[in-house]
Amino acid sequence: MLNPKQLAAESIRATELLQGKTVARVVRHQAEVFVEFKDGERLFVNRTNDGVELSITGDASSEAVLTSREAYLAMFAFLEAHYQRTKSDDIGALLGDLTLLPGGTSADPAAIVDWQHALSRARGEVVDAGFDLGGPTK
C-alpha cells in the first residue's frame, strides 16, 4: 500500500504517462477498473480497504522483464488483493506461507521450492493459462 507521499508521486507519474492517450476500452469488475489505451498501455485501479492501488503498464513489447523477486512480489500483491476482496481462508494461508522473513526466505521453505518450479515452467512457456469451456475438440 502506498503512503500519501508515494501516492502523490505515483499520481504525478500517471498524469505524465497518460497525457494525450486515447482510450480503447474500459472494463470495471467489482472494485477494479482496467483502462486500455490505443497504444497498448494499460491502467489498473483497485480500491482496497486501505485506499487505492494503481498500476500502469506498457504494451507487451515495451514492458521490462521482471526479476524473479519482482515476479514473486507481483504474485504476492495479486494474492493479497484477492484476499482483501474475498477473505478466503485458503488464500490467507497461502499468503502466510509466502510471507518473506527478515532474511528474505519465506515462512514456508517448501513454498519457495514450489515458486521456483512455477517460475521455471513459466520461463519455459509450458504453463497453459487458457480456459476452454467447450471441452475437448474433435
Side-chain angles (χ1 to χ4, degrees), residues 55-127:
S55 174
I56 301 170
T57 61
D59 66 7
S61 63
S62 69
E63 284 189 42
V65 175
L66 296 177
T67 66
S68 60
R69 179 171 172 78
E70 290 169 331
Y72 187 92
L73 294 174
M75 172 196 61
F76 193 93
F78 175 82
L79 291 171
E80 189 174 38
H82 182 75
Y83 174 76
Q84 289 301 322
R85 285 190 306 275
T86 66
K87 302 297 186 208
S88 163
D89 290 340
D90 290 339
I91 298 297
L94 180 58
L95 284 167
D97 291 345
L98 296 172
T99 298
L100 295 178
L101 302 174
T105 60
S106 74
D108 178 1
I112 291 295
V113 172
D114 291 343
W115 165 253
Q116 290 167 339
H117 181 252
L119 196 57
S120 293
R121 291 184 62 221
R123 284 183 175 145
E125 297 186 17
V126 294
V127 176

Side-chain angles (χ1 to χ4, degrees), residues 13 17-18 21 34 36-37 39-44 55-64:
R13 178 178 164 263
L17 285 171
L18 300 175
K21 300 284 184 195
F34 163 76
E36 185 175 27
F37 299 92
D39 66 357
E41 286 195 356
R42 297 174 298 275
L43 168 68
F44 298 90
S55 174
I56 301 170
T57 61
D59 66 7
S61 63
S62 69
E63 284 189 42

